C-alpha cells in the first residue's frame, strides 16, 4: 500500500510518501517540505498549504493519508498554527475521498523504533534504515512525515480499508440528511 | 457590500450574511449554524464543515469573508477544534478568491457596541437593533457570526478591496515561484 504521511506545520509542513506492507522494509517514493512565510497573511498561508498538499495527493495517488495528531505544547501561538495546518492536512486526504488516520507522536515513535519515548535521532535512524537510504532524509520535518507513513503501513493495512468503507457509508448517510442544519 | 461572517467552531460553527455600508444600519441576508457530531471522526467533521461553508459561499456570493481570530482559552481541547475550524473557515473564503479578514472578539465587540469588553447579551442586543430584527437571532453562535459581518462592514469597505488586490498580486508572484519547494 502507498501512504502519504503529513507532519503538519504552518511554517514547515513535512510530507512523505512510502510504499510497503506491514512488518517489512518499506520503499521511499518521495518527500517534501512545504514552506509558508510567517509574515504572510494567514489566508494566503493556508491557501498555499492547501494547494500544495492537494497537488501532492493528486501526483502520488496514495491509498491513505496519515497525519500527526496535534497536542498542546508550551507555545500556544505555535499550537494554533499547527492545529490549523493539521486541519488543512486532514482535508487534503478526506477531500480526495481517502481514509485519513491520525497518530500521536508516541504512537509513531513506538511503531518505528519500538519505544514511545524514543528521541528524534533514533526515529530518523530507523526511518533511514527501514527505507534503505544511504543518508538520513533532510530536513528533519520530512523524516517525521516518513515515520508517520511507515507507522501507518505497519499498523494499518486492513484497518485502513475498513475505515474507508465506514467513511463512505457515513458520508452517504449524511448527504441524505442535508449538509446544513 | 455583502459580507459572510464565520464564528468558527467544530461542534457548532455560526455563519451570518449581512449587507450594508459603513456606519449605517445593515440588512440581514441569512444566518446558519453548521453542526458536526463530536463522536464522528475528525476527517469527517472537517469535511462536512468544509462542504457546508463552500456551499454557503457559493450560494450567497459575498464580497468578503470575516472570521473570528482564535485565542488560547482555558480548555486546550476546545482550542484545537476551534483552531482547526478556523482554518476551514479561512480556506472557504480564500479558495473562493475572496478577501478574508480576521478579527479578535474584542475588536468585534468594540465595533458593534462601542466597548471591547461588552457582554454577550449586549452584542446580541446591538446585532438585533442594527439589523432591525423583531427578535434576537437564535442560537447565539449565529449572533456572533452576524456581529463579525457587521464589524467588517463598518470597519472595512475600501480596506477589503485593497487587501483583495494585494492578495491577488501575491498569489500571482507565488505561483511563478512554484507551489512546492
Amino acid at each position: 500500500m502507498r501512504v502519504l504521511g503529513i507532519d503538519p506545520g504552518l511554517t514547515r509542513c513535512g510530507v512523505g510518501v512510502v510504499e510497503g506492507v506491514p512488518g517489512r522494509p518499506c520503499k521511499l517514493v518521495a518527500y517534501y517540505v512545504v514552506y509558508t512565510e510567517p509574515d504572510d497573511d494567514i489566508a494566503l498561508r493556508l491557501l498555499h498549504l492547501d494547494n500544495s498538499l492537494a497537488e501532492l495527493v493528486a501526483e502520488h495517488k496514495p491509498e491513505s493519508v496519515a497525519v500527526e495528531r496535534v497536542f498542546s505544547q508550551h507555545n500556544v501561538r505555535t499550537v494554533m498554527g499547527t492545529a490549523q495546518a493539521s486541519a488543512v492536512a486532514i482535508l487534503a486526504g478526506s477531500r480526495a475521498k481517502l481514509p485519513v488516520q491520525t497518530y500521536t507522536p508516541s504512537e509513531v515513535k513506538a511503531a518505528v523504533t519500538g519505544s514511545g519515548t524514543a528521541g528524534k535521532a533514533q526515529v530518523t535512524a530507523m526511518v533511514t534504515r527501514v527505507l534503505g537510504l544511504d543518508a538520513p532524509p533532510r530536513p528533519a520535518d520530512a523524516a517525521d512525515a516518513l515515520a508517520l507513513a511507515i507507522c501507518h503501513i505497519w499498523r494499518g493495512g486492513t484497518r485502513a480499508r475498513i475505515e474507508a468503507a465506514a467513511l463512505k457509508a457515513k458520508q452517504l448517510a449524511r448527504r441524505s440528511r442535508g449538509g446544513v442544519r
Side-chain angles (χ1 to χ4, degrees), chain A:
Chain A
M1 76 181 309
R2 177 179 284 205
V3 175
L4 188 138
I6 306 178
D7 180 25
L10 198 48
T11 303
R12 289 182 301 278
C13 181
V15 180
V17 188
V18 173
E19 276 181 1
V21 292
R24 305 276 293 277
C26 298
K27 188 187 148 215
L28 170 67
V29 177
Y31 64 85
Y32 308 84
V33 177
V34 181
Y35 298 91
T36 77
E37 299 289 339
D39 292 341
D40 274 353
D41 188 82
I42 182 70
L44 190 67
R45 299 179 76 186
L46 292 173
L47 186 62
H48 176 61
L49 183 57
D50 184 57
N51 286 339
S52 301
L53 295 179
E55 281 170 21
L56 293 176
V57 167
E59 179 179 342
H60 292 292
K61 299 180 177 57
E63 285 154 72
S64 53
V65 173
V67 180
E68 187 164 303
R69 197 174 306 164
V70 183
F71 278 106
S72 76
Q73 295 149 7
H74 294 299
N75 187 336
V76 173
R77 199 180 158 79
T78 307
V79 171
M80 297 298 191
T82 308
Q84 291 179 314
S86 80
V88 179
I90 291 168
L91 275 179
S94 57
R95 224 187 276 126
K97 299 187 171 38
L98 298 173
V100 179
Q101 182 73 41
T102 59
Y103 295 100
T104 64
S106 54
E107 285 176 320
V108 176
K109 288 173 187 171
V112 174
T113 71
S115 162
T117 58
K120 228 171 168 54
Q122 204 184 336
V123 171
T124 302
M126 275 305 291
V127 166
T128 308
R129 190 186 304 173
V130 167
L131 296 177
L133 307 179
D134 294 332
R138 289 270 175 267
D141 312 73
D144 288 341
L146 291 166
L148 268 158
I150 294 167
C151 165
H152 187 68
I153 288 170
W154 285 1
R155 294 185 50 158
T158 52
R159 195 181 58 179
R161 256 164 273 149
I162 293 166
E163 279 163 2
L167 179 71
K168 190 169 279 182
K170 272 194 182 167
Q171 283 174 332
L172 289 173
R174 192 167 294 273
R175 203 166 300 145
S176 69
R177 276 193 278 151
V180 177
R181 279 176 277 170

